[in-house]
Structure formats: structure tokens, C-alpha cells
Amino acid sequence: MIAGRLIDISMPISARVITDPPPMRPRISYRAHTDGAHDIAAIFPGLLPKQLPDAEGWAVEDVTLTTHSGSHMDAPWHYHSTTDHAEASGPRPSPTIDQAPLDLFMRPGVKLDFRHLPDGQVVSAADVEAELSRIGHALAPLDIVLVNTSAAAAYGDPDFHNRGCGMGREATLYLTERGVQVVGTDAWSWDAPFSFTAARFARDGDPAVIWEGHKAGRERAYYQMEKLQNLEALPPTGFTVICFPVKIEAASAGWVRAVAVLPQ
């Protein structure tokens, strides 16, 4: 039994609440108990649906979604085919989500509060260092770092995927260089929203700004959660994060039911 107060920091997979651009939105078809009665009757010859209690069978949902729908954990394979280019051992194939070491996903949590930063701002290493100083925390290897952004307040807004700040390459490497291997954000992406990145690329023509936080995983492997919730309910430190991803063969991500455990 887990001793402590549980806070659900996961977003539901919903076809009703908009959290993705149109091509990526989940589709859920709900089949009622009366439909299930006919399914059961088809399995047992001679059985009539009305012979079941209250003429009801099972309820079932048909779901169409991507591995990046709802709260999910990205694997290094999502960012690039190879990783650890910055390591002395040289590059290796990027792990997929089914290859993720489970011991990474139940560790002490740290929350960085960047809700005051404007939409589209790219968080720097200096920003991370300043926030860690403010909360009085020195990162330890395998800390799980969660980023609270202004996107949290836009949940359900059709513009959700354009909200919140994003973690840049140097901010991401600041964390991974100190042994952090799992991170998370309540925004649609670990990076700044694409609409802001597109404007920067149009202005400067520099491709290095595109998906720079994710691409930091090419240099040093890490796992990241996106579309979390309720991070504002967490203290800066003093809690444990439990976030085991669903094991999907050879996949770039897996859905996650992330939970924070606070002391009683």
C-alpha cells in the first residue's frame, strides 16, 4: 500500500475536450450495454438478449488514437533514430517505449513553475537554474522534473496546442547532464508551440530552432511526458512521481497514468 496523498497528474483521453490539432484528435465510439447483450447472444447459440439480467451485456468502447494522445511518455526513438551522440561511448540506436527501464518511472519529483512565462518563450538553462535556486533544490540523478506552464489554464481551449512556454535545447541538456532521465510538461509539447517556432524560423531561417528540446535527446537520451495536468497542486519538491508507460512494441511513445504521491 502506498502511504501518502495521491494527486492524479494525467489528462484523460477524450474525444470531447480538444487538446490536439484536428488530424491527431482521438475518436471514441461508445457501445452501450444493450449492444453488448447482442454480442453475448451471438457467442452463445440459442441465447436471447432479453434472457440476460435487465437485457444488458457489456459496455465497450472503440478508440482510435495515436500513441501521443492524452498524457503520454515519449521515448528517445520519437526524437531521433540514434541517441547519446554527446556520450564518449558514441551513438547507439534510440530506445523505443517498450525498451524503457522501469526503474526510471518511480522517482522523486521536482516541479519548475514557469506559468509566468509568456506563450512561446523558449526556456533557457539560466531560467532552469534560477527556478531551482528559487525553490532551493539541487538536482539529483534520476529526479523526475515536471514543468508547470500557462498551458494548464488553457485545457479544453481549441488553441491549447499553441499555449505555454517550451523547453529549449540548452534547458533540456542542463537537466540531462545532471542525470535527469524523465521529465514532463502540462503543455502540448516539451518544445515551444510550433506556431511560435515557425515564426522564428521564418524570421531567421535557422533550422536549429525546430523541435530543439526534443532533438536534445539525440545528444543524450531521456524520456518525456506531455499533456499532464494538476501540476499547480504540487509543491516544488517533496513528492514522488509514478509514471509507468504502456508497453507498446517498437513504439515512439506509450500512454501514461501519471500520479504524484505527497506525504500525508
Side-chain angles (χ1 to χ4, degrees):
M1 182 176 179
I2 296 175
R5 181 163 60 97
L6 301 182
I7 295 182
D8 187 355
I9 57 173
S10 302
M11 177 184 294
I13 294 174
S14 173
R16 180 182 56 83
V17 180
I18 297 173
T19 57
D20 293 299
M24 298 180 66
R25 291 177 188 168
R27 296 189 297 277
I28 305 175
S29 175
Y30 295 87
R31 296 165 61 193
H33 297 89
T34 51
D35 299 317
H38 289 277
D39 293 340
I40 293 176
I43 295 172
F44 296 93
L47 177 70
L48 298 175
K50 67 181 181 181
Q51 293 177 284
L52 295 170
D54 299 323
E56 290 190 354
W58 46 57
V60 176
E61 294 73 47
D62 296 318
V63 181
T64 302
L65 68 169
T66 78
T67 52
H68 300 264
S69 296
S71 298
H72 63 277
M73 180 82 70
D74 288 346
W77 179 255
H78 180 50
Y79 327 137
H80 204 79
S81 62
T82 52
T83 187
D84 288 348
H85 287 248
E87 301 289 354
S89 56
R92 64 184 174 99
S94 293
T96 52
I97 200 65
D98 53 323
Q99 297 170 327
L102 291 180
D103 64 343
L104 297 180
F105 303 122
M106 190 166 69
R107 294 284 178 173
V110 181
K111 185 186 79 169
L112 307 181
D113 193 344
F114 291 139
R115 285 177 290 176
H116 60 286
L117 297 181
D119 295 342
Q121 179 162 328
V122 177
V123 175
S124 67
D127 294 326
V128 173
E129 193 167 49
E131 175 64 0
L132 288 169
S133 176
R134 186 188 72 82
I135 65 176
H137 182 75
L139 286 174
L142 303 184
D143 277 350
I144 295 179
V145 176
L146 306 178
V147 177
N148 196 178
T149 78
S150 62
Y155 173 66
D157 188 315
D159 203 38
F160 171 77
H161 62 282
N162 287 316
R163 304 291 291 277
C165 62
M167 301 294 282
R169 172 182 174 273
E170 64 171 53
T172 305
L173 291 177
Y174 180 94
L175 298 174
T176 58
E177 286 167 359
R178 287 158 178 78
V180 172
Q181 294 191 45
V182 178
V183 299
T185 177
D186 53 16
W188 185 76
S189 174
W190 181 248
D191 274 271
F194 286 156
S195 56
F196 292 90
T197 305
R200 283 193 290 272
F201 177 69
R203 182 189 66 215
D204 303 327
D206 181 6
V209 304
I210 297 173
W211 224 36
E212 61 175 284
H214 281 74
K215 283 298 184 183
R218 177 180 177 274
E219 298 178 62
R220 185 169 282 106
Y222 75 100
Y223 296 80
Q224 72 182 33
M225 292 177 283
E226 295 171 326
K227 292 187 281 189
L228 298 175
Q229 282 195 327
N230 297 327
L231 299 188
E232 63 277 3
L234 302 180
T237 59
F239 60 95
T240 299
V241 178
I242 303 174
C243 54
F244 296 107
V246 172
K247 192 175 184 180
I248 305 172
E249 185 177 10
S252 64
W255 309 291
V256 65
R257 183 64 181 268
V259 177
V261 185
L262 278 65
Q264 292 282 23

